[in-house]
Amino acid sequence: MNSIDFVSSAIVSTNFNPKLVSFSKPKIKIKIKTKTKPYSLNCSLRHSKLRVSATIKDQNPESQTPNVSDQVTEHPLDENGGAGFDLGWLPAFPHVLVASMSNFTFGYHIGVMNGPIVSIARELGFSGNSFLEGLVVSIFVAGAFIGSISTGSLVDKLGCRLTFQIDTIPLIIGALISANAHSLDEILGGRFLVGLGIGVNAVLVPIYISEVAPTKYRGALGSLCQIGTCLGIIASLSLGIPSEQDPHWWRTMLYIASIPGLIVGLGMQFAVDSPRWLCKAGRINDAKKVVRELWGASEVEGAIEEFQSVSKNDGSDLDSRWSEIFEQPHSRVAFIGGALFVLQQFAGINGVLYFSSLTFQGVGIQSSALASLLVGLTNFAGALCALYLIDREGRQKLLIGSYLGMAISLFLVVYAVTFPLDEQLSNNLSILGTIMYIFSFAIGAGPVTGIIIPELSSTRTRGKIMGFSFSTHWVCNFVVGLFFLELVEKLGVAPVYASFGAVSLLAAAFAHYFLVETKGRSLEEIERSLNPKA
């Protein structure tokens, strides 16, 4: 896989506004003899908009004349009591961070073959054979397809935590086999095993984060998937720079690839399992413990009640069948998830990233590793912006804006290629368009697609819908990578990029008409709003 690719899925437009009991603003004034300045307490209850203000006034027995300092001033406090600092995400962060290390591994293996493939081909005896070189890279995608399609059943039966630990086995063994390879068969076998593990992680990480993250921070914590992938790509490309001088350096890089798997396997020993899965498995006390640890003691009863209500209505996810994703209401989410994957891939991210190295060479950046590193840093900058914006602006708005930005960027490159004023200006516009495209992808189409599918999927079929969507992703990824260069050679860059731009516009329209906003809503609220049986 040559890009930071994540899924997106959506559902038909449905409005769901949970009724909140609203009270007027009662004020409780507590007079206490003190020399401290006035302050107020503002507390918000989960199921009501109840605000209580308490004022402590300076009391002067010699004077009853009120002054300005006696007025009530509200200072909103966060959930942890610190004015101005909202740390409600912090308890879940270590668990999410461990899971995101799987995406670091994903990103590392995306970039690890970028430079060393020439040295690998020369040392293993297939130098100059472009088909075999492409096979070493693409066998990774074949393994990922199988891994993704099998994840739904694994996570239903075993839960996220144990599946993470089992999945580290092919990741570690595959990296070690690749590093020790002395033949084409060995490097292919190692890359296939790594792809198998990556396919499982691609499905597993978004599910885990969506189910353990507090509702308010689910988008931001989900964006760590993209950031982990970006950091993995940057790490592999940075480590790949010495491979241009050292023909055996690729073995060291592949040995290093086994380390993140070890970290995930060890870290998951101390991480929690999904409270939703624990509830479905009948481990209610364990689910309560996890909710208390991650979301706070005040959330326990309400959360467990919601989990049980959804499970009672929809049945246990442990017993779900693959055929159920073709039945309503699950089929809508599965269809739109697959469609958004098709649109994401045929918007050209793989092709543009591949062609970007040639574009950078046109302005004097001859090192493919340095050119790819610039791309990785652009991706990282976009991912950081997504982390900040996704819970503020919402998934739908960010996705639409992302695809519109991608379309404009591609049309800018088409203009630079088709109507060049001079060579230098054409190169500069091509570079600008490429950077804008990658940034636009990283701010929305990349992270949002991976976050929104598990949000829209029901508790019963979440694992299988994610597996189906990601398997669609890998197929499209392979097709674009297989035919991109051939199309560029036959048609030229401008028509191919114009087609990618048109697909980006189609994806923006699709997101506008078929997505609903999921920010600020619990997974159970979303499921009830989409399921007519609820």
Side-chain angles (χ1 to χ4, degrees):
M1 184 177 177
N2 301 317
S3 69
I4 303 174
D5 295 326
F6 282 91
V7 264
S8 97
S9 166
I11 44 177
V12 280
S13 180
T14 307
N15 293 323
F16 178 79
N17 296 314
K19 295 181 179 179
L20 297 176
V21 181
S22 180
F23 296 88
S24 58
K25 298 180 179 179
K27 293 182 179 179
I28 305 172
K29 294 187 177 181
I30 307 172
K31 296 183 178 181
I32 302 175
K33 186 176 290 187
T34 176
K35 295 182 179 180
T36 59
K37 292 183 178 180
Y39 73 95
S40 67
L41 173 65
N42 178 11
C43 62
S44 175
L45 301 182
R46 183 170 183 260
H47 294 293
S48 66
K49 292 180 177 177
L50 174 62
R51 295 185 180 275
V52 181
S53 296
T55 303
I56 300 178
K57 297 183 178 181
D58 290 330
Q59 299 297 318
N60 186 350
E62 298 178 2
S63 175
Q64 298 298 327
T65 304
N67 55 57
V68 177
S69 64
D70 290 335
Q71 298 176 359
V72 176
T73 305
E74 292 189 357
H75 299 282
L77 304 183
D78 63 44
E79 296 175 1
N80 300 289
F85 296 96
D86 190 349
L87 300 177
W89 53 270
L90 191 57
F93 179 75
H95 309 275
V96 171
L97 185 63
V98 172
S100 298
M101 280 299 298
S102 298
N103 285 86
F104 180 89
T105 306
F106 179 23
Y108 190 91
H109 281 287
I110 289 174
V112 74
M113 289 292 174
N114 188 69
I117 185 62
V118 176
S119 299
I120 293 172
R122 187 182 300 115
E123 186 170 342
L124 300 185
F126 55 94
S127 180
N129 190 325
S130 58
F131 173 77
L132 292 180
E133 290 180 4
L135 184 62
V136 170
V137 176
S138 62
I139 196 71
F140 171 89
V141 177
F145 173 84
I146 296 174
S148 291
I149 205 70
S150 62
T151 306
S153 299
L154 284 174
V155 74
D156 286 350
K157 297 294 183 183
L158 304 177
C160 292
R161 183 169 169 265
L162 184 56
T163 305
F164 267 119
Q165 292 180 308
I166 293 174
D167 186 51
T168 60
I169 296 173
L171 287 171
I172 296 171
I173 293 178
L176 294 177
I177 290 176
S178 300
N180 284 287
H182 292 89
S183 68
L184 176 62
D185 291 341
E186 290 178 348
I187 193 71
L188 288 175
R191 289 286 291 170
F192 178 81
L193 284 175
V194 167
L196 193 68
I198 292 300
V200 173
N201 278 338
V203 174
L204 189 59
V205 175
I207 292 177
Y208 180 77
I209 294 178
S210 70
E211 294 198 350
V212 303
T215 297
K216 183 179 178 181
Y217 315 98
R218 194 172 58 233
L221 290 174
S223 298
L224 292 178
C225 293
Q226 179 87 340
I227 291 176
T229 305
C230 291
L231 292 176
I233 291 176
I234 292 171
S236 64
L237 295 176
S238 300
L239 288 171
I241 294 176
S243 66
E244 297 179 359
Q245 285 77 38
D246 185 353
H248 305 294
W249 179 249
W250 62 273
R251 295 188 183 275
T252 302
M253 293 180 65
L254 290 173
Y255 277 124
I256 293 173
S258 65
I259 297 176
L262 291 171
I263 294 174
V264 172
L266 180 62
M268 275 295 155
Q269 190 63 33
F270 303 96
V272 299
D273 217 327
S274 162
R276 291 173 169 91
W277 181 84
L278 291 170
C279 195
K280 288 180 293 183
R283 297 163 57 180
I284 305 300
N285 290 334
D286 290 339
K288 289 182 177 180
K289 181 179 178 181
V290 171
V291 172
R292 185 179 296 107
E293 178 182 345
L294 300 186
W295 304 350
S298 62
E299 300 287 330
V300 174
E301 296 304 323
I304 297 299
E305 183 179 347
E306 282 193 327
F307 299 163
Q308 291 178 325
S309 174
V310 168
S311 295
K312 182 180 179 180
N313 175 73
D314 207 17
S316 172
D317 198 28
L318 300 178
D319 300 321
S320 65
R321 306 180 309 276
W322 270 103
S323 60
E324 292 181 36
I325 69 172
F326 301 107
E327 302 171 359
Q328 287 290 359
H330 314 302
S331 59
R332 292 180 301 170
V333 181
F335 167 74
I336 297 174
L340 285 177
F341 259 129
V342 172
L343 292 170
Q344 184 204 52
Q345 289 302 297
F346 284 96
I349 183 62
N350 281 333
V352 173
L353 287 180
Y354 181 88
F355 204 73
S356 64
S357 60
L358 301 180
T359 305
F360 291 135
Q361 287 176 12
V363 294
I365 303 177
Q366 298 300 320
S367 172
S368 60
L370 286 176
S372 298
L373 185 58
L374 178 59
V375 170
L377 291 172
T378 304
N379 263 310
F380 181 66
L384 289 178
C385 291
L387 183 147
Y388 177 79
L389 293 173
I390 193 165
D391 282 323
R392 289 170 171 80
E393 301 299 325
R395 284 65 154 157
Q396 186 183 34
K397 186 184 295 186
L398 210 56
L399 193 61
I400 293 171
S402 172
Y403 276 118
L404 290 177
M406 290 164 64
I408 293 171
S409 304
L410 289 169
F411 292 142
L412 180 62
V413 176
V414 170
Y415 175 81
V417 173
T418 307
F419 308 103
L421 300 178
D422 61 68
E423 184 177 357
Q424 186 59 42
L425 179 59
S426 176
N427 287 336
N428 290 340
L429 287 177
S430 296
I431 290 291
L432 177 62
T434 301
I435 294 297
M436 286 173 55
Y437 174 89
I438 295 167
F439 183 84
S440 297
F441 175 85
I443 204 172
V448 172
T449 48
I451 291 168
I452 202 170
I453 285 186
E455 291 183 331
L456 299 170
S457 304
S458 70
T459 303
R460 181 173 179 80
T461 58
R462 184 168 293 126
K464 291 182 173 61
I465 287 178
M466 285 290 288
F468 168 78
S469 299
F470 263 107
S471 63
T472 304
H473 163 271
W474 294 117
V475 170
C476 296
N477 181 296
F478 178 79
V479 170
V480 172
L482 183 65
F483 293 106
F484 171 74
L485 285 180
E486 185 177 351
L487 289 173
V488 168
E489 290 175 2
K490 290 183 178 180
L491 304 177
V493 174
V496 174
Y497 271 40
S499 300
F500 290 159
V503 174
S504 298
L505 290 177
L506 179 61
F510 190 89
H512 174 73
Y513 287 108
F514 289 94
L515 283 179
V516 295
E517 188 52 65
T518 58
K519 74 167 184 174
R521 302 166 68 187
S522 73
L523 300 182
E524 288 69 33
E525 289 175 357
I526 297 169
E527 181 172 349
R528 283 195 297 267
S529 70
L530 299 173
N531 189 350
K533 298 179 183 178

